């Protein structure tokens, strides 16, 4: 380490010392030097007539010296008194300089912290604004997904007779008609309920994945985790993982049931979809 590096490191360390430490050191040196003056041999100072030479008098002289006031009533006349006085003056000036430097460093630190906090709040406000603009589209996709979860877990004969509300307590037997059209008013295609379910899951996954790339969700950690989990589940379980209708019929009594994986996928991600809906609603109403 070069000399310049050592000096730079020294001032870096000194700048990080709190101002209160320098103040305490400044005050603490005063009685220390007073004791030294008190212990010096007689005749080292020119003392005015009638002036005291007890510890209190030397404490007064020490205060006058370290603050560089120099009233001149007590005057160092010989070597040791002059040396100690000079040392105290230098200590006082040095400590005062370090104190002012520490105050400036602390002010800079406060200013930087305030600026960082300001930028953080601006960033959070900007991210919330972006999120608020995306919420309607996300809720639309989540509602579609939950609607097709209802279709895939409700026998065809019961679909359309009541409000399409997904029931998380469905059984695999309730999924008997997943290969038939959904029969929902929002579905104008002839695709099967399970096909429409996976299309809705894919669209919702794409929407949530896009949200994570456009909005910094770290200020909503629960929402970030749930979005990530939903996207990951949809990437790991695709329509290619769903057994054919023929395979299901031929292995209806097998253990585990051929539709068990699909059943777990629906239960897990429908619960996530509801949770994400609740989180987004709270954010929007905050």
């Amino acid at each position: 380490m070069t000399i310049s590096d050592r000096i730079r490191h020294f001032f870096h360390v000194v700048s990080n010392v709190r101002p209160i430490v320098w103040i305490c050191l400044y005050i603490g040196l005063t009685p220390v030097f007073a004791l030294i003056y008190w212990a010096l041999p007689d005749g080292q100072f020119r003392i005015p007539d009638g002036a005291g030479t007890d510890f209190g008098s030397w404490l007064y002289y020490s205060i006058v010296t370290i603050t560089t006031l120099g009233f001149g009533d007590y005057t160092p006349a010989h070597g040791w008194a002059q040396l100690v006085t000079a040392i105290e003056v230098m200590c006082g000036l040095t400590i005062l300089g370090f104190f002012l430097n520490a105050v400036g460093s602390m002010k800079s630190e406060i200013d930087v912290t305030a600026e960082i906090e300001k930028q953080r709040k601006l960033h959070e406000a900007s991210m919330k604004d972006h999120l608020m603009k995306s919420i309607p589209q996300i809720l639309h996709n989540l509602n579609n997904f939950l609607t097709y979860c209802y279709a895939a877990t409700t026998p065809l004969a019961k679909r359309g007779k009541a409000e399409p509300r997904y029931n998380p307590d469905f059984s695999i037997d309730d999924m008997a008609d997943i290969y038939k059209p959904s029969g929902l008013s929002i579905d104008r295609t002839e695709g099967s309920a399970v096909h429409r379910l996976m299309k809705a899951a894919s669209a919702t996954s794409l929407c949530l994945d896009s949200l994570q790339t456009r909005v910094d969700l770290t200020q909503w950690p629960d929402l970030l985790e749930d979005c990530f989990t939903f996207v990951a589940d949809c990437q790991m379980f695709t329509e290619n993982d769903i057994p054919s209708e023929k395979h299901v019929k031929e292995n209806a009594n097998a253990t585990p049931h051929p539709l068990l994986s699909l059943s777990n996928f629906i239960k897990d991600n429908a619960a996530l979809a509801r949770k994400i809906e609740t989180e987004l609603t709270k954010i929007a109403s905050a």
Side-chain angles (χ1 to χ4, degrees), residues 15 52 83 85 90 104 127 144 263:
S15 297
L83 176 62
T85 299
M90 293 302 298
M127 290 301 100
N144 271 355
S263 172

Side-chain angles (χ1 to χ4, degrees), residues 185-202:
S185 58
I186 63 171
D187 185 8
R188 302 182 185 278
T189 69
E190 295 298 323
S192 65
V194 68
H195 172 73
R196 299 302 299 163
L197 167 67
M198 297 311 295
K199 286 291 184 183
S202 178

